[in-house]
Amino acid sequence: MFRVVGDDLEIDALVEKLKMEPYRLWRKGEPRNWRNPGGKTSECSGACFTASEAEMTEFSTQVTDATEFLKEHREDIEIIVAFPGVEEAALDFGIELKRDFLNCDYLPPELLRLTGTLNIAIELSHYAPTDEDDSKKDES
């Protein structure tokens, strides 16, 4: 996903300037969970955009998709990064952590060049596999 956040970010004003649509949007001070309006509130404003539909087990596909996303939406990303109140813009890869001796995630130079040029961060979010995932592997 591509995520943008900021403590004083006017997220609605930002999204109005963009061609691409966020799949998730939140505002500072609003409830984090609409089912629990009296619960925790968002500490910042932000939005998330789909950079890849690939599964957590398909990291190389995520990288390819994200590279194309950055090229296709370069204009919008430049607007986002320059927008007042934006404190962080990051490409976040959700990756299933393999239960192997060593886990390596390769980021190709083209992706690194694009993110560097656009002044956005890369985040690798590793998720532990569920017991259900392990049982599926045992069956194959």
Side-chain angles (χ1 to χ4, degrees):
M1 87 171 101
F2 176 66
R3 180 183 58 247
V4 58
V5 296
D7 197 41
D8 296 318
L9 175 59
E10 295 292 334
I11 193 65
D12 296 303
L14 171 58
V15 170
E16 281 180 22
K17 293 183 172 289
L18 305 177
K19 294 175 191 155
M20 63 180 178
E21 298 268 335
Y23 71 84
R24 183 171 163 240
L25 185 134
W26 63 96
R27 294 166 193 86
K28 182 177 180 176
E30 289 185 352
R32 290 176 68 180
N33 183 341
W34 61 271
R35 292 183 196 118
N36 183 10
K40 291 183 178 181
T41 59
S42 296
E43 296 178 11
C44 64
S45 296
C48 293
F49 302 84
T50 302
S52 175
E53 297 281 349
E55 299 292 326
M56 288 193 304
T57 56
E58 302 172 308
F59 180 64
S60 61
T61 303
Q62 287 184 40
V63 168
T64 300
D65 292 349
T67 302
E68 291 307 309
F69 171 84
L70 296 176
K71 290 176 185 176
E72 182 180 338
H73 299 287
R74 184 181 190 107
E75 233 176 78
D76 277 346
I77 294 167
E78 288 172 341
I79 290 168
I80 289 169
V81 171
F83 197 81
V86 169
E87 294 175 10
E88 177 188 303
L91 196 54
D92 186 357
F93 293 91
I95 308 167
E96 181 181 69
L97 185 62
K98 300 176 211 87
R99 294 188 182 180
D100 295 332
F101 176 73
L102 176 66
N103 288 275
C104 296
D105 303 306
Y106 176 78
L107 300 171
E110 182 180 20
L111 177 65
L112 296 174
R113 252 189 318 276
L114 282 167
T115 55
T117 300
L118 292 167
N119 200 29
I120 62 174
I122 294 177
E123 185 172 338
L124 303 176
S125 299
H126 291 91
Y127 295 88
T130 63
D131 291 335
E132 183 179 304
D133 293 336
D134 287 340
S135 66
K136 287 179 185 174
K137 288 177 186 171
D138 292 340
E139 293 172 3
S140 52

